[in-house]
Amino acid sequence: MVLRVAIIGSGPAGVYAVEALTRRGDVAVDVFDRSPCPFGLVRYGVAPDHEKIRSISAALGNVLDQSHVRFLGNVDVGSDISLAELRLFYDAVLFASGAATDRRLDVPGEDLLGSFSSTEFVAWYNGHPDAPLDTFTLDARSVAVVGMGNVAVDLGRLLAKTADELRHTDIGDHALSVLERSHVTDIHMIGRRGPVQAKFTTKELRELGEIANADVIVDEAELVLDEASEQLLATRPAAQRNLKVLRDWAAHLPSGRPRRLHLRFWQRPVEVLGATRVTGLRVEETRLDEAGNVVGTGRTATIDAQMVLRAAGYRGVPIAGLPFDDRAGIVPNAAGRVVGDGEPLLGLYVAGWIKRGPTGVIGTNKADARETVASLVEDAQLLPPAPNRDPEDVLRFLTQRDVRVVSWAGWQAIELAESQLGQQRGRARVRISERHELLRAASGAATL
Ligand code: NAP
């Protein structure tokens, strides 16, 4: 009997799970995504100027474009169809839905006007259909970006680049026109620990020094290492490379470019200042204690900022019908098998960030998804067969609910429409952002 599997999420984790499953042979896989477009964070997370990483979508697309795999875009599992309902149509359900929200700073003023999560900003510039186009105006002169991970680096870079440096990408018209009119001159990236502990990778860090209109400013004093950092440095070649880049920058005087990217270390945010709107960020200088934990020194300072972007990491959200580990922000699992009350819940699986937390690069998801699929395949004989086995059944169910499913052909029609829009604008491709526009573009080819 053909094994019928639903995969929720068409980002790298979901697609690598499809790849591993289809190698097995007698499977039929339906991949659901709440966006009309596939590829998850490859489309909606990776920055527009990181074309090489984005080009992974071609390989991911080849996996989805197989005869026994269907893409069901624009379906929100949890509201359009519940997990219990899904199980009427599938022998196994695998969630690869990622980490949908951001980690909070838990400081006063975090929700003032002008304070945003990185997820909001990234979704906006990448034209996610759920992100309002008018969320950002970039009237701020000075922006504080909290965090020293690769997302913070993405935000710093995009704010520092000129619109001309992004025009060759597929960035949406809405974001390009706001970036063109940006008032931002100073971007302060705030790390609560030192340069050795920073999470960014060297390649991404170096790119900050290649921006046409921006100087990178690093204070030599913040690169001085304590004993614990020295010891850590000795074991981390990546941190050694980062430190070299940072020391080079610290040794150079700014060349007077119109924008400045200030990389600050040993500063933790203690309050976002302002009555209704952000007027600054109060930070406290930090150091490591004997146990290696960050502690405040009591010395505070105010960073001039009319906008704060919090890039403190992503966080998984609970999935209705599945257990959730609130501390870790993941679905508890053993090798990808969902675990409830200490026992694996047969037929339910997780892969990617909702399985292990928001860490690693895109390729990390390959081994992660393979592990989950190995568990699923091992269980296959034990799985009670779903009652509705006709592949059309789930489509009829969704149609009755008035859900406009976007098929793979629908996605290909969206791609074509984005290329045509690019031609009209004299650019290679321009992204379509609004859901109704995406559905209109897909409608010519929406049959599965
Ligand atoms: P991340 O790498 O975990 O970095 C989060 C940053 O926020 C860290 O510097 C962390 O500091 C800081 N932070 C956390 N809580 C804080 C708080 N309360 N106050 C101040 N700072 C706080 O997360 P990310 O940048 O969101 O990236 C997620 C994953 O996506 C990573 O694996 C990343 O490499 C990947 N990614 C890759 C690329 C790329 O390859 N180009 C681009 C984007 C994202 P501590 O270290 O002190 O906790």
Side-chain angles (χ1 to χ4, degrees):
M1 193 170 62
V2 170
L3 187 67
R4 292 189 47 72
V5 182
I7 294 187
I8 320 307
S10 62
V15 177
Y16 291 137
V18 176
E19 187 173 55
L21 259 175
T22 50
R23 286 219 184 100
R24 177 187 181 268
D26 49 350
V27 287
V29 189
D30 283 352
V31 184
F32 292 80
D33 205 299
R34 79 191 155 91
S35 166
C37 310
F39 312 136
L41 280 186
V42 171
R43 180 171 165 99
Y44 291 121
V46 176
D49 57 342
H50 275 177
E51 289 96 341
K52 195 153 174 242
I53 308 181
R54 281 204 176 180
S55 68
I56 291 173
S57 58
L60 300 181
N62 289 338
V63 175
L64 295 182
D65 193 9
Q66 299 183 74
S67 56
H68 42 296
V69 178
R70 297 189 300 186
F71 175 66
L72 282 75
N74 199 42
V75 183
D76 188 349
V77 170
S79 64
D80 291 330
I81 184 166
S82 69
L83 173 56
E85 288 161 345
L86 268 183
R87 300 197 77 179
L88 300 172
F89 305 103
Y90 300 97
D91 307 322
V93 180
L94 190 162
F95 283 87
S97 42
T101 189
D102 58 297
R103 222 181 271 153
R104 305 266 307 165
L105 298 180
D106 290 327
V107 298
E110 189 167 3
D111 296 315
L112 284 174
L113 288 172
S115 168
F116 300 93
S117 67
S118 59
T119 47
E120 287 173 284
F121 194 58
V122 171
W124 171 77
Y125 67 59
N126 274 332
H128 190 286
D130 294 337
L133 298 186
D134 58 357
T135 315
F136 292 92
T137 51
L138 300 186
D139 295 328
R141 271 180 299 99
S142 183
V143 180
V145 177
V146 178
M148 279 290 176
N150 278 333
V151 169
V153 173
D154 279 348
L155 305 188
R157 191 181 68 254
L158 281 232
L159 286 169
K161 276 193 169 178
T162 59
D164 282 341
E165 287 172 287
L166 295 166
R167 208 175 300 282
H168 67 283
T169 73
D170 72 350
I171 193 167
D173 285 340
H174 70 288
L176 193 62
S177 62
V178 169
L179 288 164
E180 251 163 6
R181 287 178 274 118
S182 167
H183 291 230
V184 176
T185 57
D186 289 84
I187 302 132
H188 304 266
M189 289 177 54
I190 312 294
R192 65 176 170 179
R193 296 191 289 164
V196 176
Q197 293 85 4
K199 298 261 176 67
F200 45 62
T201 41
T202 314
K203 183 175 160 291
E204 278 62 31
L205 179 66
R206 276 201 189 106
E207 279 180 79
L208 296 181
E210 295 159 8
I211 301 169
N213 266 356
D215 280 320
V216 183
I217 298 176
V218 181
D219 183 352
E220 185 92 60
E222 290 180 357
L223 303 183
V224 174
L225 303 184
D226 54 28
E227 206 181 310
S229 300
E230 286 282 10
Q231 281 170 9
L232 192 62
L233 184 71
T235 64
R236 288 197 183 169
Q240 292 164 19
R241 289 191 293 271
N242 289 346
L243 196 60
K244 184 173 178 324
V245 175
L246 292 166
R247 283 185 172 148
D248 281 352
W249 284 334
H252 286 93
L253 286 173
S255 61
R257 294 177 189 183
R259 287 187 179 145
R260 287 161 296 276
L261 252 166
H262 310 260
L263 268 60
R264 302 292 316 276
F265 296 97
W266 303 111
Q267 308 290 326
R268 74 173 174 198
V270 286
E271 185 176 2
V272 181
L273 302 170
T276 52
R277 292 200 70 88
V278 173
T279 56
L281 179 71
R282 203 154 63 84
V283 292
E284 181 184 18
E285 191 187 290
T286 57
R287 62 175 179 81
L288 294 183
D289 67 10
E290 296 70 34
N293 298 317
V294 181
V295 289
T297 61
R299 285 190 288 275
T300 61
T302 297
I303 290 172
D304 175 45
Q306 298 78 47
M307 177 163 122
V308 170
L309 293 175
R310 309 176 310 260
Y314 289 95
R315 192 180 151 71
V317 292
I319 294 168
L322 294 188
F324 192 67
D325 176 344
D326 198 47
R327 199 187 47 80
I330 59 166
V331 171
N333 68 93
R337 291 182 177 95
V338 176
V339 172
D341 294 328
E343 291 294 321
L345 303 179
L346 204 58
L348 295 174
Y349 304 88
V350 282
W353 281 2
I354 197 62
K355 170 187 175 187
R356 67 171 196 277
T359 58
V361 293
I362 291 171
T364 314
N365 293 297
K366 214 167 211 177
D368 175 306
R370 277 194 199 135
E371 180 192 57
T372 297
V373 167
S375 299
L376 193 161
V377 168
E378 209 175 288
D379 296 348
Q381 300 303 322
L382 306 171
L383 301 176
N388 303 295
R389 307 200 67 77
D390 181 343
E392 293 303 308
D393 288 343
V394 70
L395 302 180
R396 279 192 281 269
F397 177 92
L398 291 166
T399 305
Q400 275 166 16
R401 290 250 166 113
D402 284 333
V403 181
R404 285 181 64 184
V405 179
V406 173
S407 64
W408 188 250
W411 159 243
Q412 287 172 321
I414 291 172
E415 285 201 290
L416 186 65
E418 291 189 338
S419 299
Q420 287 167 345
L421 191 59
Q423 271 170 18
Q424 287 166 22
R425 305 277 195 280
R427 294 166 59 196
R429 180 167 172 167
V430 171
R431 193 167 273 218
I432 300 173
S433 305
E434 288 180 287
R435 191 176 291 270
H436 69 271
E437 297 281 354
L438 290 164
L439 294 181
R440 191 163 60 197
S443 61
T447 49
L448 279 155

